[in-house]
Amino acid sequence: MNASRVADGIFRLSANIGSEILFEGMWLLPHGASMNSYLVKGEQAAIIDGVCDWDGVPETLYAQLDEVGMNVSDIRYVIINHTEPDHTGWLRSFSALTGDFEVLITARGLELAKAFYDLEVPFRVVKSGDSVDLGGGRQLVFEEIPNVHWPDTMVTFEPATGTLFSCDAFGTFGAINGAPYDEQLDEMQLRFFEKEALRYYANIVARFSQPTLAAIAKVRKLPVRIIAPGHGPVWRRNPEFIIDLYERLAGYGKGPAKPKVTLLWGSMYGNTEKTVAPLLEGLAAEGVESAVHQVPQTHIGTILASAWESTGIALAMPTYEYQMFPPMAAVLDELGRKQVRNKLALRVGSFGWSGGAQRELEEIVARQKMHWQFLEPVEFRGAPAAEELELIRRRARELARQVKAAALA
Ligand SMILES: Cc1cc2nc3c(=O)[nH]c(=O)nc-3n(C[C@H](O)[C@H](O)[C@H](O)COP(=O)(O)O)c2cc1C
Ligand SMILES: [Fe+2]
Ligand SMILES: [Fe+2]
């Protein structure tokens, strides 16, 4: 990856991480991810956001500074929009190379930076409305957007070019190879990043959907012409694309989403598995899109992305040792933690003697305050009889009808 020019005096420096990394120690990155920093050059230079400290990553950043004719020691300001180590890990290496700089950070960010890094560097606390003048017509204005991922988060705005440095907000997964700007993406690549944005949102940002909507309202008041996020492409042909997408994704936190049903199923001996076909037939009979994921075979990050944009969830799992098939319980718990809320739902499944899956399902949904609205479940003993499969088909069809009525256009 090379440095590239975002706008007059503004450069994107970036490193990709590959699919061997689990992001946050748990999320698969089948297509990698990019970590973007930005250099703003006035009479003085600022670097906005940084990169992680993994092997070679800070060095990639330094090499790109070289490409734009800058030394590490030319940087006067380091702007930390968000203290998470994917953007700040490089600080230790950076401060070992140079001394004469100042770190601009929110008050909450400062607490975190002190807790993470034992660094004797000069910090300056900034708040919404504060700015720093770099000279040469370049100014940076700060706006706090707390709890867009972490409590410390802010965005940085450069008025002369209308560039918003938004860090995690408006980010996407997906490594970037040679085409970091939206105007370089063809239709297929655009759809790719739209999907990577959904997975990034569902895995990383979903829990913070209310603060994200508040942040979008703030951003819409700024004359933004370019969105330069911490992950993914820079949006400068059509910044509205990613703002609108984020607004839509954040809105899904309220429940109604696409007219789509995510079907999650798990089975030990194939009895519950027999319900998958009639469930899908019922959904298809109403023309409702469905996505099917077997549990535990499918990674939770994929399931979350699918569930997040679905208005309906169909669950098929048996009873196991008086409770729910354990990997499904883990999936439901995670959906609860990410606040996949107010969904329309149906549960079916097999049991052998006294059941228990249904009771645990109700416990999880209540404990996680998920407010899912369930149709009457269909439980059966051992293998499902033909009438039970027919009932399941009808109930899936009813779910599909409800989903169509409730889904967003
Ligand atoms: C390890 C194991 C634990 C089970 N625990 C229970 C249980 O606690 N209560 C119950 O009603 N059935 C229990 N069952 C029976 C299953 O729910 C039943 O065999 C069901 O048909 C399995 O569905 P499947 O073929 O979709 O895996 C258990 C079965 C297994 C293999
Ligand atoms: Fe983050
Ligand atoms: Fe990040």
Side-chain angles (χ1 to χ4, degrees), residues 265-274 316-323 325 349-357 379-384:
W265 70 276
S267 176
M268 296 176 280
Y269 291 108
N271 293 296
T272 306
E273 185 177 0
K274 293 197 171 80
M317 94 298 278
T319 290
Y320 180 102
E321 295 176 358
Y322 312 105
Q323 291 176 291
F325 183 56
S350 179
F351 68 102
W353 51 98
S354 55
E379 279 203 294
F380 50 88
R381 198 161 188 178

Side-chain angles (χ1 to χ4, degrees), residues 37-324:
S37 289
Y38 298 93
L39 174 75
V40 183
K41 273 166 123 175
E43 284 156 14
Q44 292 179 312
I47 196 154
I48 304 175
D49 296 326
V51 286
C52 60
D53 62 355
W54 294 327
D55 264 3
V57 172
E59 290 70 23
T60 306
L61 195 78
Y62 306 142
Q64 292 174 8
L65 274 177
D66 260 4
E67 286 173 28
V68 297
M70 296 284 289
N71 293 314
V72 169
S73 57
D74 294 332
I75 299 205
R76 180 75 192 90
Y77 300 106
V78 171
I79 317 292
I80 297 186
N81 279 327
H82 170 38
T83 324
E84 190 172 8
D86 58 331
H87 304 283
T88 57
W90 72 304
L91 263 184
R92 193 183 305 283
S93 137
F94 177 79
S95 62
L97 293 173
T98 175
D100 186 23
F101 66 95
E102 209 176 356
V103 177
L104 275 52
I105 191 165
T106 61
R108 293 301 295 274
L110 180 58
E111 280 171 38
L112 294 167
K114 295 224 151 157
F116 287 116
Y117 308 107
D118 181 23
L119 286 178
E120 287 305 313
V121 297
F123 286 103
R124 192 206 301 180
V125 168
V126 295
K127 57 181 187 321
S128 289
D130 287 356
S131 62
V132 59
D133 196 339
L134 302 178
R138 287 279 167 276
Q139 222 195 345
L140 298 175
V141 185
F142 309 108
E143 186 65 51
E144 289 167 84
I145 54 161
N147 298 310
V148 176
H149 207 206
W150 282 20
D152 60 316
T153 317
M154 66 175 186
V155 292
T156 298
F157 185 61
E158 202 291 302
T161 56
T163 308
L164 184 78
F165 303 96
S166 60
C167 202
D168 279 357
F170 312 119
T172 78
F173 281 148
I176 300 221
N177 296 303
Y181 299 96
D182 65 342
E183 79 271 11
Q184 299 167 331
L185 305 176
D186 62 26
E187 191 56 28
M188 228 173 73
Q189 291 166 314
L190 199 60
R191 293 285 87 86
F192 167 82
F193 281 110
E194 193 176 12
K195 279 204 176 122
E196 289 292 288
L198 167 64
R199 220 158 40 73
Y200 179 82
Y201 190 91
N203 293 186
I204 310 296
V205 189
R207 180 71 176 70
F208 310 96
S209 289
Q210 279 308 324
T212 299
L213 287 171
I216 290 168
K218 280 187 179 176
V219 164
R220 287 210 190 276
K221 291 194 186 125
L222 298 169
V224 172
R225 298 204 295 278
I226 301 173
I227 298 263
H231 307 281
V234 172
W235 305 87
R236 64 184 181 186
R237 177 176 57 186
N238 184 11
E240 280 303 311
F241 177 86
I242 194 74
I243 300 174
D244 287 349
L245 177 59
Y246 258 66
E247 191 164 43
R248 186 150 45 82
L249 293 174
Y252 291 168
K254 293 176 183 145
K258 284 171 64 175
K260 170 178 169 178
V261 172
T262 289
L263 165 56
L264 305 176
W265 70 276
S267 176
M268 296 176 280
Y269 291 108
N271 293 296
T272 306
E273 185 177 0
K274 293 197 171 80
T275 67
V276 172
L279 283 168
L280 290 177
E281 283 157 20
L283 299 174
E286 291 293 328
V288 165
E289 177 192 348
S290 56
V292 188
H293 301 292
Q294 190 179 359
V295 173
Q297 283 80 347
T298 312
H299 192 269
I300 182 67
T302 308
I303 291 175
L304 264 168
S306 179
W308 189 260
E309 66 163 11
S310 294
T311 298
I313 312 281
L315 302 166
M317 94 298 278
T319 290
Y320 180 102
E321 295 176 358
Y322 312 105
Q323 291 176 291
M324 192 190 298

